[in-house]
Amino acid sequence: MTGLPRRFSRLDATARLLCVNQFGINAGFFMLMPYLAAYLTGSLGLAAGVVGILLGLRNFSQQGMFFLGGALADRWGYKNLIMAGCLLRTVGFGLLATVDALPGLAVGMIATGVAGALFNPAVRACLAEHSDNDRVGTFAVFNVFYQAGILAGPIIGVALATVNFQFACAVAAAIFTALTIVQARRLPSNSNGEHGGRERPSLIEAWHTVLTDRRFIAFALAMSGSYVLVFQTYLALPLLLGDHLTSTASTATIAMMFAVSGTLTIVFQVRITARCTSLLGRRASLVVGLLVLGWAFVPTLAVTAWTVPPAAVAVAVVVSGGLLALGTMITFPFEMDTVTALTGGQRIATHYGIYQTVCGVMLVAGNFLVGTAIDRIGDTWNWVPWLGLCALAVASAIGVLRIDLNTSEAADDRLASTVDRREKPAVEGR
């Protein structure tokens, strides 16, 4: 971890702010999300089906609206969309803290989801713009803060929930209010994407430009497999634990898995990225990372193919979670760097938004297939879904290998000029 403080200190001031901002976003979000279903069914007495609809509304409002948030960021400026997203999440969490009627809860859920769709592509585009020609290293540091927020949020949430859940919601709303104020004061106002103050294209034109870029869409489809694989920490792995362990043991194992994954990322992300950069490069790192994500399901494949004690299942799940974290550490910085490189410096946030939308749609489809396979395949063949996940990783790696990820000199020049257009501090004459 010794390299993290040094690497963080070398970041552009705006990039440092965005990293800290992301920690606050994730901490504030995960203070509530792991405990929201229990609050809605317990304290408010809502039916499980209604709670499922509310949670689905939140997820759809974010995943389904990324394409709009990205295009708006390019049109109206990264800073404006980041602030708007955080302010809207303040409203959403404020509603969850103060209302108990279904319509108000639905509005609060939708607000929190749309908020993520607004600031998420803008944050990544702004970070790419302020990466000082080292996007891979910058995104590596960003992922550390991202994962640290996920790790810290539930711990903070447990402490706040000792008062009550509404108090935790109010604190989360206060965090997003503070983030909005800090961004208003500290984010550079010229983070307006490629157009600055010049005439901006229509949203339809921006979407058409990105959606007709076959190479970019092919990359998004290939990498969407990684999102399906990583999401199994919320779907297939907990279901496996539920089949073999008691509820208490299953919950403890899940908590351990997330703790191990988050700790590994915080400690090793910067080192792993530096090593991959020097030894592998962009394409090879993506392929290796995807294959590691596939290897993450070999332990669960083994414990489902043979009869093993419950403790072995718990160990397999924790190991799988650790390998998923390792695969993500390898792929994420190079994935974000590749998305930026493929934009050629044009409509960066729109590209990020559509990229996340494509991956989100494929994630829903993938999870449906995984869940259906787990439900319908009997005990004799319960290893098949895990083998399918391994195969998905191989297919994604092959897909990346078949895509030309090289960028032209003209595209590189446009990216460099995008960085150069940032507002520089005035230098006093000597």
Side-chain angles (χ1 to χ4, degrees):
M1 190 174 174
T2 55
L4 176 60
R6 183 171 62 252
R7 186 66 188 82
F8 178 73
S9 67
R10 293 205 301 263
L11 294 182
D12 175 281
T14 299
R16 292 198 299 269
L17 175 61
L18 290 170
C19 288
V20 175
N21 176 69
Q22 191 63 49
F23 172 83
I25 286 174
N26 282 8
F29 182 80
F30 284 95
M31 281 166 48
L32 307 181
M33 287 302 117
Y35 316 112
L36 181 57
Y39 165 69
L40 295 174
T41 56
S43 299
L44 299 188
L46 297 179
V50 174
V51 173
I53 292 173
L54 288 174
L55 295 177
L57 279 175
R58 194 220 68 79
N59 191 63
F60 177 78
S61 299
Q62 179 163 318
Q63 298 290 341
M65 298 297 286
F66 275 134
F67 74 97
L68 178 61
L72 290 176
D74 278 333
R75 185 170 179 83
W76 291 342
Y78 304 154
K79 176 178 180 176
N80 292 332
L81 266 291
I82 295 171
M83 290 173 54
C86 285
L87 187 59
L88 186 57
R89 190 157 281 182
T90 299
V91 173
F93 286 152
L95 284 172
L96 295 181
T98 55
V99 304
D100 54 13
L102 189 57
L105 292 171
V107 172
M109 289 291 199
I110 292 172
T112 61
V114 173
L118 294 181
F119 61 63
N120 203 307
V123 166
R124 283 157 175 73
C126 191
L127 191 66
E129 183 178 300
H130 289 267
S131 61
D132 285 340
N133 299 317
D134 184 15
R135 291 192 302 268
V136 171
T138 301
F139 277 112
V141 176
F142 178 79
N143 194 42
V144 173
F145 282 83
Y146 189 98
Q147 297 298 329
I150 294 176
L151 188 61
I155 298 173
I156 299 171
V158 166
L160 295 176
T162 58
V163 179
N164 58 49
F165 189 80
Q166 291 96 327
F167 178 69
C169 289
V171 172
I175 289 174
F176 280 93
T177 300
L179 290 174
T180 305
I181 294 171
V182 171
Q183 291 156 6
R185 295 172 61 91
R186 300 293 299 276
L187 275 181
S189 58
N190 72 317
S191 288
N192 290 324
E194 57 170 310
H195 301 288
R198 301 193 301 277
E199 182 180 356
R200 299 170 175 84
S202 68
L203 300 185
I204 300 299
E205 180 185 347
W207 290 328
H208 179 267
T209 299
V210 178
L211 290 172
T212 54
D213 185 343
R214 295 183 179 180
R215 182 173 61 156
F216 179 79
I217 297 301
F219 180 72
L221 289 172
M223 289 302 299
S224 65
S226 68
Y227 287 75
V228 177
L229 297 170
V230 173
F231 193 85
Q232 300 318 306
T233 55
Y234 301 98
L235 179 61
L237 294 179
L239 289 176
L240 177 63
L241 290 173
D243 289 339
H244 292 83
L245 277 70
T246 65
S247 176
T248 301
S250 176
T251 301
T253 303
I254 292 171
M256 181 181 297
M257 176 184 68
F258 280 107
V260 168
S261 300
T263 302
L264 287 174
T265 302
I266 294 169
V267 174
F268 294 111
Q269 174 71 80
V270 172
R271 297 178 184 176
I272 288 175
T273 300
R275 187 61 60 88
C276 288
T277 300
S278 61
L279 297 180
L280 299 177
R282 177 193 292 164
R283 184 194 298 274
S285 294
L286 289 170
V287 171
V288 169
L290 287 167
L291 293 178
V292 171
L293 291 177
W295 273 101
F297 296 102
V298 171
T300 53
L301 173 62
V303 298
T304 51
W306 290 279
T307 301
V308 297
V313 176
V315 171
V317 167
V318 173
V319 172
S320 293
L323 287 172
L324 287 172
L326 176 60
T328 302
M329 281 188 273
I330 296 172
T331 58
F332 178 79
F334 295 95
E335 174 192 2
M336 294 295 101
D337 172 63
T338 303
V339 171
T340 307
L342 292 177
T343 71
Q346 297 181 342
R347 302 177 180 89
I348 298 176
T350 304
H351 280 81
Y352 274 114
I354 289 181
Y355 181 86
Q356 290 174 304
T357 297
V358 170
C359 291
V361 171
M362 298 304 294
L363 173 61
V364 172
N367 283 343
F368 174 77
L369 292 175
V370 171
T372 300
I374 291 174
D375 281 339
R376 297 192 177 183
I377 292 178
D379 292 340
T380 305
W381 300 93
N382 62 355
W383 51 270
V384 171
W386 306 104
L387 181 62
L389 290 169
C390 295
L392 175 60
V394 174
S396 294
I398 293 173
V400 170
L401 281 173
R402 291 175 61 88
I403 300 170
D404 179 13
L405 299 183
N406 295 320
T407 55
S408 65
E409 291 184 7
D412 292 337
D413 289 342
R414 284 195 297 270
L415 278 169
S417 66
T418 299
V419 174
D420 291 341
R421 280 199 300 270
R422 292 182 331 208
E423 185 176 64
K424 299 292 195 298
V427 178
E428 295 287 339
R430 292 194 176 99

